[in-house]
Amino acid sequence: MIRLAMLSTALFAMACSAPPDTAGKDTGSPAITGNAQAAPITDLPDDSPLEPEIKNIPAATGRANLPLTQPPFAVAKIGEFDEPFAMAFLPGDQGLLVTEKGGALKLRRTDGGVVTINGVPKVVAGGQGGLLDVAIAPDYAASHHIYLSYAEPGPGGSALALARATLDIAGKRLADLSVIWRSGSSGPGGQFGSVITFSPDGQNLFLTSGERQRFTPAQDPKQALGKILRLTLDGKAAPGNPMYDKGGIEATTWTSGHRNPYGLVFAPDGKLWEDEMGPRGGDELNLILPGKNYGWPIVSNGDNYSGQPIPDHPSRPDFEAPKLWWNPSVSPAGMIYYSGDMFPALKGSLLIGTMSTPGLAHVTLAGDKAHPADFWDFQARLRDIAQAPDGSIWLLEDGEKGSGGRLLRLTPKG
Ligand SMILES: [Ca+2]
Ligand SMILES: [Ca+2]
């Protein structure tokens, strides 16, 4: 334990040696390149930062990198936002909700007009934090509930929070806002994950919680960082969770050992797929199974940005290995399972927006297997993706580094 504590301290120091919010490659900024070139930590063992007795067994299968190709879509710009983070379609013809990291919630009506929705909670904007995901409640038709995840002000910085509110479209405001879950472990910077999705039966809410670039909390069952949570629609621990009887954060935990999960979707067969940004060369597509540990920061098919090696997943088969992984990194973000009729060739597959290599990854599925099919060049960091009611595919650019934060609509070419 002493060794673990010492190494944890060293890892934390590494995390803090880079500018807050830009540690790691996730932002894809020039500053990251500088960080990647930092001198290797030489007083840590080569094989594992956390468990030096582990010998590296290289990952041999599942590498998903493909050359970028021209996208087979007609692409239309249909809006522009300021550092948008997420979008969600309201039912029928009520339009699209879009979050901006700075703290604004916008409603884009179907006629293209954009209105600001008031009553959004106060957020800590900056770096990877701010107003983050937005999701429409499964019972929205009756409740008009929406959910927001965001960086809430807290000691030393911020913490991930989940709020539920009633959307009053006519009044352009949120009513009855209540914060129904808080991660704790408040502090500076890092990545929040923050993606919300619902179980197919509409009874449970799944939320990803990033490890804030603090490494070891992903393996600490007493911290909500580096976890995927399964909650009731009221934000409580969901009965049936693997550690439900333990209470506290453990009762809310579905899976652990995640770094920075930015995509989470159910396929119609009930399988839950997640993408996460790993360290350098360690991005992952995971099949999420209850109670499993996904290994971060003990194993990764990538290595730390300091140059410090991390054993690959096969070195510790007790951890759940990714179905696919990207090395070099592409920085996977928003993900959908496409079920529309507009693109028959994409039906039943995953589409993942990517950032450090800006593109759209097409992944086909067969049971619990995933296969990289295409990687289309979009030349701008894609933060989120959604399937519109008509089956068109909508993309939301990240809007950082001058990419403009455009909202794009994809339809068949020609
Ligand atoms: Ca992993
Ligand atoms: Ca590795």
Side-chain angles (χ1 to χ4, degrees):
M1 282 312 289
I2 291 171
R3 183 189 70 210
L4 182 66
M6 288 172 59
L7 292 165
S8 300
T9 304
L11 285 167
F12 187 70
M14 283 163 48
C16 294
S17 66
D21 303 316
T22 57
K25 62 89 195 27
D26 310 288
T27 63
S29 70
I32 299 320
T33 306
N35 188 36
Q37 293 168 346
I41 303 290
T42 54
D43 57 348
L44 291 172
D46 286 343
D47 287 312
S48 172
L50 291 181
E51 301 196 8
E53 68 275 16
I54 305 174
K55 299 305 173 195
N56 183 37
I57 300 174
T61 60
R63 185 169 171 267
N65 296 73
L66 291 174
L68 285 164
T69 58
Q70 284 306 304
F73 308 105
V75 181
K77 176 190 168 185
I78 57 170
E80 185 146 8
F81 296 88
D82 183 14
E83 287 193 44
F85 187 88
M87 59 180 162
F89 279 99
L90 290 161
D93 61 354
Q94 297 180 83
L96 180 79
L97 291 175
V98 178
T99 58
E100 295 179 341
K101 279 201 294 186
L105 177 65
K106 304 276 180 73
L107 171 63
R108 181 194 182 275
R109 299 187 310 245
T110 48
D111 66 5
V114 176
V115 297
T116 298
I117 304 295
N118 296 308
V120 171
K122 181 174 168 55
V123 306
V124 178
Q128 301 303 312
L131 184 60
L132 300 171
D133 204 10
V134 56
I136 314 300
D139 63 354
Y140 178 85
S143 69
H144 287 194
H145 282 157
I146 69 164
Y147 293 84
L148 294 169
S149 60
Y150 58 102
E152 181 183 52
S158 63
L160 182 62
L162 176 69
R164 183 174 65 184
T166 304
L167 176 62
D168 172 6
I169 292 178
K172 300 178 185 174
R173 67 183 188 111
L174 299 178
D176 310 320
L177 184 113
S178 68
V179 182
I180 60 171
W181 179 89
R182 290 181 164 100
S183 68
S185 304
S186 183
Q191 306 252 5
F192 295 81
S194 79
V195 175
I196 302 163
T197 196
F198 299 97
S199 57
D201 67 4
Q203 298 301 303
N204 292 116
L205 182 155
F206 289 78
L207 176 70
T208 71
S209 176
E211 50 82 281
R212 306 287 303 275
Q213 278 150 308
R214 299 179 200 171
F215 300 91
T216 49
Q219 293 293 333
D220 179 355
K222 303 292 187 190
Q223 292 195 62
L225 306 187
K227 308 294 188 304
I228 294 176
L229 296 312
R230 180 173 171 263
L231 308 172
T232 67
L233 298 185
D234 299 323
K236 306 285 191 288
N241 281 353
M243 296 185 285
Y244 183 76
D245 293 341
K246 292 192 173 183
I249 284 166
E250 287 158 291
T252 65
T253 300
W254 191 245
T255 55
S256 60
H258 299 288
R259 186 174 181 272
N260 187 18
Y262 272 146
L264 190 69
V265 292
F266 275 97
D269 64 1
K271 291 188 172 60
L272 181 59
W273 294 92
E274 173 249 21
D275 71 54
E276 70 180 62
M277 294 186 187
R280 182 168 60 192
D283 294 339
E284 298 182 343
L285 177 72
N286 289 304
L287 178 61
I288 298 301
L289 301 169
K292 296 287 188 183
N293 186 323
Y294 289 77
W296 177 255
I298 298 170
V299 290
S300 168
N301 293 349
D303 296 306
N304 276 314
Y305 276 94
S306 63
Q308 177 190 56
I310 308 172
D312 285 2
H313 258 283
S315 314
R316 280 288 298 268
D318 51 320
F319 293 133
E320 195 68 17
K323 297 298 181 183
L324 295 178
W325 46 279
W326 288 267
N327 189 349
S329 299
V330 297
S331 304
M335 173 166 64
I336 61 166
Y337 176 95
Y338 185 76
S339 61
D341 293 324
M342 192 175 282
F343 298 100
L346 302 183
K347 203 161 180 169
S349 56
L350 299 175
L351 298 173
I352 307 168
T354 65
M355 309 242 291
S356 59
T357 303
L360 182 63
H362 172 212
V363 171
T364 57
L365 299 175
D368 63 0
K369 303 270 193 303
H371 175 76
D374 295 286
F375 191 29
W376 292 305
D377 187 1
F378 273 84
Q379 299 178 358
R381 299 150 52 79
L382 299 180
R383 174 58 82 172
D384 203 13
I385 177 168
Q387 179 182 320
D390 66 359
S392 61
I393 295 164
W394 290 26
L395 301 176
L396 195 56
E397 293 178 352
D398 184 48
E400 284 187 338
K401 326 299 173 203
S403 69
R406 297 179 302 166
L407 177 65
L408 305 175
R409 179 172 183 258
L410 311 186
T411 53
K413 218 171 194 171

